[in-house]
């Protein structure tokens, strides 16, 4: 029996921080063995030839197509995306589409030949209108009106995508039960077409491997075996509450001198300044930038993983990638009750 063609569409970019763990890994481990996989990415500006070569050389079962995109201002701004995808899809007799996010979903819906498309799955990973407003603070009344206009465009986009589409075998895959409930309550998304994603959750590593990694990494980093190690993996963006992470550890070390903090980040200087300001001894922390291919080995050195988030709907409906990585190596998770997925589990 020949393999079915799977077309995976992304709109948030190959260089997005979650691409390797939340997009490429699931494609390779869950789809490539039973499907011919074409990864289609719509990019604003992309010149990273090394990344393309890495993907194609490391994953021969995954082919890659990259097309230009423009900022989203309604359906007219994705006409070129629809045209380019349609030219590809017409060559397949039987295919399935997985689209990451509502814009990719709309492109898929508008490009699909109903006779040839077996199924469309749209992955809901967040809320575009809320993300836009959260990251754009108006400085005056004109900007306020403009941001309100953009928010409405994105809301109408999601509303048009997160609904039943006649004559298409259609499914929405929400990242969490909280997001599923939000889509049902706010977009009138019918429960029978929406499910909670599970396939992209990393497998838990065997206990023996975690133990070996822990011993090897602690030895390499010169962390005493009897220390309690806390880990923060992420950025210094305000919504990830980096100052709260430092304050948390500051309190821990006051009560237990054998506490140690590991920080894995792309912004080491920012965290260095925070820790120095808090007068935390350099012998009690390490800040390191780690490649994704090595992250699990380094996380294994810790006992606890820290996830702090701001209080807002975006965090409440999320399923943090870092929490999944902590769980994969058996870390206990410390959080601040702002993510429903974590509240329900811990």
């Amino acid at each position: 029996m020949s393999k079915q063609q799977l077309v995976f569409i992304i709109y948030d970019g190959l260089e997005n921080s979650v691409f390797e763990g939340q997009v490429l890994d699931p494609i390779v481990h869950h789809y490539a063995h039973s499907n011919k996989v074409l990864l289609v990415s719509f990019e604003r500006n992309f010149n990273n030839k090394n990344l393309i070569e890495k993907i194609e050389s490391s994953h021969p079962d995954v082919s890659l197509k990259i097309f230009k995109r423009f900022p989203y201002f309604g359906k007219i701004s994705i006409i070129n995306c629809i045209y380019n995808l349609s030219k590809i899809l017409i060559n397949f007799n039987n295919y399935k589409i997985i689209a990451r996010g509502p814009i990719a979903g709309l492109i898929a819906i508008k490009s699909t030949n109903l006779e040839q498309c077996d199924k469309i799955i749209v992955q809901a990973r967040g809320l575009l209108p809320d993300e836009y407003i959260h990251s754009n603070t108006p400085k005056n009344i004109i900007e306020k009106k403009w941001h309100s206009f953009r928010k409405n465009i994105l809301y109408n986009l999601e509303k048009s995508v997160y609904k039943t589409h006649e004559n298409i075998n259609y499914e929405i895959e929400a990242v969490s039960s909280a997001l599923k409930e939000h889509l049902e309550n706010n977009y009138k998304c019918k429960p029978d077409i929406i499910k909670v994603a599970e396939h992209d959750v990393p497998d838990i590593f065997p206990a023996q491997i975690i133990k070996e990694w822990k011993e090897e990494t602690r030895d390499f980093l010169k962390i005493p075996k009897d220390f309690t190690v806390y880990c923060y993996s992420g950025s210094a963006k305000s919504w990830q509450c980096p100052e709260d992470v430092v304050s948390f550890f500051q309190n821990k070390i006051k009560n237990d001198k054998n506490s140690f903090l590991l920080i894995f980040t792309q912004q080491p200087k920012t965290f260095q300044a925070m820790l120095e300001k808090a007068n935390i001894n350099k012998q009690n922390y390490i800040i390191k930038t780690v490649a994704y291919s090595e992250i699990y080995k380094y996380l294994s050195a810790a006992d606890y993983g820290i996830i702090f988030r701001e209080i807002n709907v975006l965090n409440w409906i999320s399923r943090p990638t870092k929490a999944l990585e902590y769980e994969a190596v058996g870390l206990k998770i410390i959080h601040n009750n702002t993510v429903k997925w974590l509240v329900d589990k811990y």
Side-chain angles (χ1 to χ4, degrees), residues 142-177:
I142 295 175
E143 286 191 2
K144 186 175 182 180
K145 288 181 178 296
W146 171 250
H147 292 332
S148 178
F149 170 71
R150 287 299 312 277
K151 180 183 178 181
N152 287 334
I153 287 178
L154 295 172
Y155 173 80
N156 289 329
L157 160 71
E158 292 192 335
K159 190 175 181 180
S160 69
V161 172
Y162 296 142
K163 67 177 184 179
T164 301
H165 294 270
E166 300 298 331
N167 303 319
I168 300 177
N169 184 7
Y170 193 74
E171 183 178 286
I172 298 167
E173 189 181 82
V175 75
S176 67
S177 60

Side-chain angles (χ1 to χ4, degrees), residues 102-132:
I103 302 179
L106 184 60
I107 294 170
I109 292 166
K110 296 296 183 182
S111 307
T112 296
N113 183 314
L114 298 180
E115 294 180 358
Q116 296 165 295
C117 181
D118 178 56
K119 189 175 188 178
I120 294 178
I121 299 173
V122 177
Q123 296 182 335
R125 293 295 180 263
L127 300 168
L128 285 185
D130 298 272
E131 289 171 8
Y132 177 79

Side-chain angles (χ1 to χ4, degrees), residues 232-330:
Y232 172 78
S233 179
S235 76
K237 294 177 181 177
S238 61
W239 61 272
Q240 292 181 311
C241 306
E243 292 180 347
D244 291 349
V245 173
V246 174
S247 297
F248 167 83
F249 185 70
Q250 193 175 26
N251 290 327
K252 282 292 178 184
I253 204 166
K254 284 180 182 177
N255 299 318
D256 180 9
K257 299 301 180 184
N258 288 349
S259 296
F260 198 93
L261 178 63
L262 280 175
I263 294 181
F264 302 128
T265 183
Q266 300 294 322
Q267 298 163 288
K269 291 182 179 179
T270 304
F271 279 99
Q272 184 68 50
M274 288 182 185
L275 290 162
E276 288 178 358
K277 184 178 179 180
N279 294 316
I280 296 175
N281 194 313
K282 290 184 177 181
Q283 294 182 346
N284 288 89
Y285 68 85
I286 288 175
I287 305 171
K288 192 173 181 63
T289 299
V290 177
Y292 176 78
S293 58
E294 296 184 297
I295 191 64
Y296 291 111
K297 185 175 181 179
Y298 278 95
L299 289 175
S300 297
D303 301 295
Y304 296 91
I306 303 170
I307 293 278
F308 291 158
R309 295 290 187 264
E310 285 183 344
I311 300 173
N312 59 48
V313 66
L314 294 173
N315 289 321
W316 184 249
I317 58 89
S318 71
R319 187 197 59 188
T321 301
K322 299 304 177 184
L324 298 177
E325 293 173 355
Y326 292 159
E327 287 187 332
V329 290

